[in-house]
């Protein structure tokens, strides 16, 4: 099955400003692609650039997408390893835009097999309940948002931290006081603390029954994570420290994390995410499915991957719930409160809304 051409769209989604330790986003910097084949159908892919974390912007993703499309024209769409290796041979990194191309290939392969993607990957459906994320703000404002989420049915709250450690502790104290004992709370420092600040903050919030802390320090402090693990009453989840399965192996073997957060924008897509998952499973290190600011299109692919990945035990799949002001997706994943489900349509089962695409800048290669 040959790739005939690829359509690339600037897929900007307006949203309420969302703040983490490293910056604020006021729109989702996404890219959407359709990889067309001579079989008469196409595969869809979407990625969400988060420059403060991964180092790619929407502009760099669009530029690389045009280069990737030229590489793939006339190539076999069903040889996924070979197509992805072409991209890796062409450029290092750029995992965000690579993830959109990876997703499109898996969509094509599953459609060709006339199977929903999770069945193509050998998975089966299970109950998936996402957390809901609170961006950085004042302790009072964050506590008020947490209470609103609880009243809407949320049972798992993820709290962004990573600024001044003493203020972060107050944020958690206020949120726990407001929510009571029954709500699960997990925190994400987004690399915002120094080693000393991380020790202080984690020891101070330990009394508030925190499920885990994602990425407390910058990755250049990875060598101090084993020491932090010994001092922290809160379990540590590696996020920005793990982009691929080699990173996962090193973090696990060095005793640097209890959990790993898998994101397509870091792994470059499903192919590498599966290797991270399997590496962690071999060492009995549970994983979380995370994301950036993807629409329900990429979220659908992530849900299929979760169904096929039994070692994913935590779900941070609220990317469409934390500020998107438009929904550019047709079909795909559905939210029932904070629970996710999807129909058994072939492939990813989601596509972009044609009316939304009409307002998007487009390239065809």
């Amino acid at each position: 099955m040959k790739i005939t051409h690829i359509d690339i769209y600037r897929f900007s989604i307006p949203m309420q400003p969302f703040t983490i330790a490293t910056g604020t986003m006021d729109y989702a910097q996404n890219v959407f692609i359709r990889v067309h084949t001579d079989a008469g159908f196409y595969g869809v892919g979407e990625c969400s650039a988060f420059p403060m974390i991964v180092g790619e912007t929407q502009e760099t993703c669009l530029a690389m997408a045009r280069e990737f499309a030229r590489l793939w024209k006339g190539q076999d769409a069903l040889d996924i390893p070979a197509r992805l290796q072409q991209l890796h041979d062409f450029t290092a990194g750029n995992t965000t835009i690579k993830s959109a191309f990876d997703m499109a290939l898996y969509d094509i392969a599953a459609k060709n097999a006339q199977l929903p993607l999770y069945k193509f990957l050998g998975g089966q459906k299970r109950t998936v309940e996402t957390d809901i994320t609170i961006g950085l703000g004042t302790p009072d404002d964050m506590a008020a948002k947490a209470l609103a989420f609880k009243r809407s049915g949320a049972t798992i709250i993820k709290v962004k931290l990573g600024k001044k450690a003493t203020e972060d502790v107050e944020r958690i104290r206020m949120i726990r006081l407001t929510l009571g004992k029954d709500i699960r709370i997990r925190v994400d420092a987004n690399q915002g603390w120094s080693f000393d600040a991380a020790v202080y903050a984690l020891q101070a919030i330990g009394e508030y029954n925190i499920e885990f802390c994602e990425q407390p320090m910058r990755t250049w402090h990875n060598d101090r994570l084993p020491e932090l693990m010994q001092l922290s009453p809160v379990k540590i989840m590696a996020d920005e420290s793990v982009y691929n399965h080699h990173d996962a192996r090193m973090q696990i073997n060095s005793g640097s994390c209890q959990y790993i957060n898998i994101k397509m924008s870091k792994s470059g897509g499903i192919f590498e995410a599966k290797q991270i998952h399997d590496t962690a499973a071999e060492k009995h290190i549970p994983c979380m499915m995370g994301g950036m600011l993807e629409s329900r299109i990429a979220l659908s692919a992530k849900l299929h991957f979760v169904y096929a990945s039994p070692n994913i035990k935590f779900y941070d799949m609220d990317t469409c719930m934390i500020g998107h002001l438009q929904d550019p997706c047709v079909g795909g994943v559905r939210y029932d409160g904070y629970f996710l489900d999807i129909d058994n349509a072939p492939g990813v089962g989601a596509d972009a809304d044609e009316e939304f695409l009409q307002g998007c800048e487009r390239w065809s290669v």
Side-chain angles (χ1 to χ4, degrees):
M1 184 188 300
K2 301 299 182 185
I3 295 170
T4 58
H5 65 285
I6 298 176
D7 293 326
I8 303 161
Y9 296 86
R10 184 190 300 276
F11 208 59
S12 301
I13 304 172
M15 61 181 296
Q16 297 169 353
F18 181 69
T19 301
I20 64 172
T22 49
T24 299
M25 300 279 282
D26 55 11
Y27 72 97
Q29 296 187 19
N30 298 2
V31 172
F32 174 72
I33 67 168
R34 285 174 173 165
V35 177
H36 295 266
T37 70
D38 61 5
F41 59 87
Y42 58 78
V44 302
E46 184 202 10
C47 65
S48 182
F50 214 102
M52 300 88 77
I53 300 295
V54 183
E56 294 170 83
T57 67
Q58 190 180 54
E59 291 297 335
T60 65
C61 287
L62 289 167
M64 296 308 297
R66 295 191 289 272
E67 299 286 352
F68 292 170
R70 294 185 186 99
L71 291 174
W72 278 11
K73 196 168 183 178
Q75 300 295 314
D76 182 4
L78 297 179
D79 191 346
I80 295 176
R83 296 292 72 73
L84 296 178
Q85 191 59 49
Q86 272 188 292
L87 306 188
H88 300 323
D89 290 344
F90 180 75
T91 185
N94 293 276
T95 52
T96 300
I97 188 58
K98 284 177 179 176
S99 72
F101 280 74
D102 168 289
M103 175 182 163
L105 290 184
Y106 277 97
D107 189 29
I108 289 169
K111 285 175 177 173
N112 185 63
Q114 298 184 335
L115 293 170
L117 179 55
Y118 75 89
K119 288 187 177 180
F120 177 80
L121 295 172
Q124 59 184 1
K125 286 190 174 185
R126 65 177 191 266
T127 300
V128 174
E129 181 185 7
T130 185
D131 61 22
I132 185 70
T133 305
I134 302 171
L136 272 167
T138 68
D140 287 341
D141 286 346
M142 292 174 73
K145 288 181 181 178
L147 182 59
F149 286 141
K150 178 182 178 180
R151 288 173 172 166
S152 71
T155 66
I156 314 165
I157 302 294
K158 176 175 170 178
V159 182
K160 291 292 188 179
L161 302 177
K163 287 296 188 181
K164 189 175 181 181
T166 53
E167 294 176 1
D168 285 337
V169 172
E170 179 61 12
R171 290 179 170 103
I172 294 300
R173 188 190 73 82
M174 286 289 297
I175 290 170
R176 177 55 81 191
L177 180 66
T178 301
L179 294 180
K181 297 179 180 180
D182 296 334
I183 298 290
R184 291 159 61 188
I185 297 177
R186 50 186 65 156
V187 304
D188 183 2
N190 281 118
Q191 308 182 78
W193 293 323
S194 67
F195 176 80
D196 290 339
V199 171
Y200 167 79
L202 292 170
Q203 289 183 347
I205 67 176
E207 67 177 282
Y208 300 115
N209 189 22
I210 303 303
E211 191 171 23
F212 55 75
C213 174
E214 290 182 57
Q215 200 67 33
M217 303 182 295
R218 287 281 181 182
T219 56
W220 53 69
H221 292 311
N222 280 352
D223 61 321
R224 302 205 71 181
L225 279 170
E227 183 182 359
L228 182 63
M229 291 260 289
Q230 296 300 313
L231 295 171
S232 174
V234 178
K235 291 184 177 180
I236 303 299
M237 175 178 283
D239 184 356
E240 290 90 341
S241 292
V242 174
Y243 273 63
N244 55 53
H245 71 284
H246 300 296
D247 294 335
R249 183 192 70 247
M250 290 186 287
Q251 289 294 102
I252 294 167
N253 289 346
S254 63
S256 297
C257 64
Q258 283 115 334
Y259 305 129
I260 290 173
N261 187 355
I262 298 174
K263 293 177 179 173
M264 299 302 178
S265 56
K266 293 186 302 165
S267 70
I270 292 169
F271 187 84
E272 181 63 30
K274 176 70 163 57
Q275 296 182 74
I276 298 171
H277 170 274
D278 292 351
T279 298
E282 288 172 4
K283 299 291 186 176
H284 308 289
I285 299 293
C287 296
M288 180 163 79
M289 187 76 251
M292 297 305 187
L293 294 171
E294 298 91 345
S295 79
R296 290 190 303 109
I297 299 171
L299 181 65
S300 297
K302 290 192 289 182
L303 183 59
H304 284 290
F305 179 71
V306 164
Y307 287 154
S309 305
N311 192 48
I312 295 181
K313 308 293 188 182
F314 309 106
Y315 316 109
D316 181 29
M317 302 176 69
D318 61 345
T319 59
C320 314
M321 304 174 75
I322 53 177
H324 284 196
L325 299 176
Q326 284 183 268
D327 179 6
C329 175
V330 292
V333 66
R334 300 182 304 277
Y335 288 106
D336 180 7
Y338 294 92
F339 292 86
L340 284 73
D341 195 8
I342 196 166
D343 293 330
N344 284 320
V348 170
D351 204 343
D353 179 82
E354 292 296 335
E355 185 175 348
F356 186 87
L357 287 182
Q358 289 177 11
C360 297
E361 192 175 4
R362 171 180 170 270
W363 297 261
S364 188
V365 178

